[in-house]
Amino acid sequence: MAWFTYFVYSPLATTVLGGLLAVSFVVGFGLRRREGHSVRCSAYGALGGVLDKSMVGF
């Protein structure tokens, strides 16, 4: 997806897309840590949440 947005739109679009995914990961990680999950569980859960949300349109 990053390759597609880089060449079709612009590097700025790729940066914005990457930033949204990074913010989504950080927020998911923080919410899971606040609920008392371990660091490992929070990282895996946040990654799964980002992948889940990024594949909604597919």
Side-chain angles (χ1 to χ4, degrees):
M1 185 56 101
W3 175 86
F4 178 76
T5 59
Y6 183 82
F7 285 108
V8 172
Y9 296 108
S10 70
L12 179 63
T14 305
T15 304
V16 169
L17 180 62
L20 288 173
L21 292 175
V23 166
S24 179
F25 177 83
V26 169
V27 168
F29 183 84
L31 290 174
R32 284 173 178 78
R33 285 297 292 159
R34 184 175 286 183
E35 291 175 3
H37 293 276
S38 67
V39 173
R40 180 190 222 173
C41 178
S42 297
Y44 288 161
L47 180 60
V50 167
L51 292 176
D52 179 44
K53 299 299 182 263
S54 67
M55 298 300 242
V56 166
F58 296 106

